[in-house]
Every structure is written in structure tokens, then in C-alpha cells.
Amino acid sequence: MMEKRARDALPAPAPGQEINRFTELQTFVQVAQLGSFSAAARQREVSPSAVSKIVARLEARLGVQLLRRSTRRLELTEEGQQLLEQGRTLLADWMALESAVTRCGQPSGLVRINASSSIGQRLLVPLVPALLRQHPELQLDLSFTDQVVDLIAARADIALRWGRLPSSEMVARLLGHTRQVIVASPAYLRQQGTPARPKDLQRHVRIGWNYPRAVPHWPFAVQGHKQAVSMGEVLRVNDGETMRALVLAGAGLARLSLYHAWEDLQSGRLRVVLEDFNTGDLEPIHAVYVGKPGQLPARTRAVLDFLKAHVDLGYAQAVPAGWCT
């Protein structure tokens, strides 16, 4: 008996209390479509008395009669018919909106991705066709730059970043690791000779980075100790693809991530030097984003999950001996 009274008890909102207009409209539409309070009550899993109170409260708030009640049937008034027609449209639009912004259904909409030139070209671009086949409702906006951008200012949903991340409010998802190797073109090595020890680099052109966060030296492991070789001032760039192109053209040596040089090493267009002195340090590759992991749009989460599953993790391995000089 107490349960029935609790289900029936739907008092009018107290002064200043917010009215649940959605529930009122939804209940009225169900009553009108089903033709009875009892049928609507069964669908809503409440008592007929509770449904009657909701409709009565709606009528009182609007100041019009929506239903004519008799012992045998319910009949819509003109105002009730108008509310039914427009109310059904409003409810359908609301359900469509909820589906679009929650996790339900196929991920859809625009995802903006920012990445460095090398990560974008070498890791992301090859994955785009499969990503769009798996999620055909997605739209991608790709921006590649080696400058670290502010995700909010750039309106980016995801940024792919290599190396250690500074402390920030962004959330990072680790995609994998990569080793770094020192590479040169065969033509450059024929003309300038192959360095046998780290100190030999002093007589070679070393291509480095010119942005403020760049490390101004290359690390080596010499007899169990780390040794740093200064970059020098001969040639510096701010773009990974430019650095790769300069090495391929024979301009000098560069320290590239293994994923960046992989295809050139496989084909023989580049060779690895000083691998016996490689520290073996692994650099992380992250997908970073702003927001709480449990509250991401379905489209952003779908891209993050795809990248986590498909970014090649083989770039942390030692290079084959055949790639070394």
C-alpha cells in the first residue's frame, strides 16, 4: 500500500522549484497516442493516477484544457491536438540531439587533429583510409606543424606529440615508443667519410632543430657513460620533413626517430651511423587532448581508440645490422 501511495504522489512543484516540462510533454503525448491513462501508465511504469496528475498539472500550467475525459474515451481538444503535433516533433528532435552528443550510434562529426610533420606524414596519414572505412561518418581536419600549438586556441580535438610532455591540464594517451638513430645518405658518407666514434662528428655537418625546446646536443653511450656532442651551428630547421629531405639530399647527418626514417632505411636511401654508441633511450608518442576521458565526444574517443590500436609499436626495436654502416 505504501508503494502505491509513493507512485501516486506527484505533487505540484513547490514555489521556485523547476518544472520538468520534458516529462509533462512526454507523458501527455503518450496518453494522447495510446488513448488512455492506463496504457500510458503501463508504458511509463507508474500508476494511472500519477499520469493523470501530470497531465492535470500541465493543463493547469498552460491554462487550457487538453483532453476531454469520458467514461469510455479520451478526446483531444483543439489545443491538445496542436500540442500533440508539435510535441511529437520536439520529442523526436530532442532524441536525435541526445543521440548525436552521447555515445550511442555511429561516431560522426568533425575531429581536428594536430601533429608534427613527421608524425603526421609517417604515422597518421597511412592510417587515415582505414580510420574512415571503420568510421564512415567521421570528418577529419588535419594540421601538421612542428610548432607546439595550444589545442584550445587551435580548436584541435587531438594532438599527436613525440617526446616527453610538459606538465599541463591536457590528458595524454600513450600510443607507443620510438628509438632515435643518426642517419646519413650513402652519397654523403662516400664524400665525407663515415664517423667511427662520436667525437668524429665535429668534422661533419649536423642538422638540428631551431625551436626553443630543442635539445642542443646528441647523446651517446661511450664505455658505459653518457656523452653529449654539441649540435653546432651549421644547419638547423624547424620541420621534420625538411630535415629528412636535407639528409636525403646529402647535406649532412641528422638524428631522426626510427619511424621517421624507417622507409628510407628499408630502401637503402639512408644508412645508420654510430649505432654501437646509441643510448637505446625510448621516446614516447602520445595522443593528447583536453577534457575528461569519460566525457569525450564519441567521435574523439573513436579516433583515440583507433590510434591506440593501430599505431605501429615496432619502432622501439634495434635496427637490423644491414641498415648500419
Side-chain angles (χ1 to χ4, degrees):
M1 186 66 179
M2 290 182 65
E3 181 183 356
K4 184 178 186 301
R5 283 200 299 269
R7 293 168 66 209
D8 288 346
L10 289 170
Q17 182 178 347
E18 184 178 352
I19 299 169
N20 192 334
R21 289 177 169 83
F22 182 85
T23 298
E24 288 182 347
L25 178 60
Q26 191 179 51
T27 302
F28 166 74
V29 168
Q30 287 174 324
V31 170
Q33 289 180 329
L34 297 172
S36 78
F37 289 103
S38 298
R42 286 193 296 271
Q43 193 171 83
R44 300 190 66 79
E45 297 184 344
V46 296
S47 69
S49 174
V51 171
S52 179
K53 287 179 180 180
I54 293 174
V55 174
R57 192 167 64 201
L58 175 61
E59 290 178 320
R61 185 167 61 80
L62 297 179
V64 296
Q65 185 178 5
L66 302 173
L67 296 167
R68 294 190 184 95
R69 302 161 177 83
S70 69
T71 55
R72 293 188 176 182
R73 55 182 295 186
L74 291 176
E75 188 175 278
L76 289 170
T77 64
E78 183 176 343
E79 292 81 6
Q81 185 64 42
Q82 180 182 1
L83 183 61
L84 173 62
E85 292 173 359
Q86 297 187 28
R88 281 187 297 204
T89 300
L90 285 172
L91 292 173
D93 289 345
W94 176 256
M95 296 302 291
L97 177 60
E98 278 194 334
S99 178
V101 300
T102 61
R103 302 180 179 184
C104 300
Q106 176 73 19
S108 63
L110 178 64
V111 179
R112 295 180 174 89
I113 306 176
N114 177 274
S116 68
S117 299
S118 58
I119 290 179
Q121 296 289 347
R122 304 295 158 186
L123 292 185
L124 181 57
V125 167
L127 297 178
V128 167
L131 172 58
L132 293 179
R133 283 195 299 269
Q134 183 169 322
H135 300 294
E137 300 300 319
L138 287 181
Q139 301 166 353
L140 300 180
D141 184 322
L142 309 180
S143 296
F144 299 156
T145 173
D146 281 324
Q147 302 302 313
V148 176
V149 301
D150 183 321
L151 265 68
I152 297 176
R155 299 176 62 202
D157 300 294
I158 301 170
L160 303 184
R161 292 186 176 167
W162 163 88
R164 310 297 176 193
L165 295 175
S167 176
S168 73
E169 295 182 355
M170 294 184 297
V171 182
R173 180 180 291 191
L174 180 65
L175 301 180
H177 291 87
T178 183
R179 292 174 75 251
Q180 289 194 291
V181 290
I182 296 176
V183 296
S185 70
Y188 174 88
L189 296 175
R190 284 194 299 269
Q191 294 172 3
Q192 304 298 330
T194 299
R197 296 172 298 277
K199 66 180 183 179
D200 295 342
L201 291 173
Q202 299 297 339
R203 59 184 178 84
H204 287 271
V205 175
R206 301 176 303 281
I207 307 171
W209 304 105
N210 64 10
Y211 44 79
R213 67 186 179 92
V215 177
H217 60 265
W218 289 349
F220 294 96
V222 180
Q223 296 180 345
H225 300 282
K226 282 197 173 182
Q227 183 182 99
V229 174
S230 173
M231 280 302 308
E233 300 293 332
V234 176
L235 188 56
R236 295 190 296 173
V237 300
N238 69 345
D239 174 83
E241 286 301 294
T242 299
M243 179 179 287
R244 171 177 168 269
L246 285 168
V247 179
L248 287 170
L253 295 92
R255 188 169 184 257
L256 295 178
S257 292
L258 194 52
Y259 72 82
H260 196 179
W262 189 268
E263 293 180 2
D264 298 316
L265 292 169
Q266 280 185 312
S267 67
R269 292 189 295 267
L270 292 179
R271 303 284 290 173
V272 175
V273 300
L274 299 173
E275 184 63 6
D276 289 341
F277 302 93
N278 195 315
T279 62
D281 294 339
L282 298 180
E283 297 290 347
I285 301 172
H286 289 98
V288 299
Y289 56 93
V290 178
K292 297 180 180 179
Q295 298 177 0
L296 288 175
R299 61 185 182 277
T300 305
R301 190 174 56 259
V303 173
L304 288 169
D305 291 345
F306 182 90
L307 292 174
K308 179 62 177 177
H310 292 85
V311 167
D312 193 330
L313 302 181
Y315 301 115
Q317 66 187 33
V319 298
W323 293 2
C324 303
T325 297

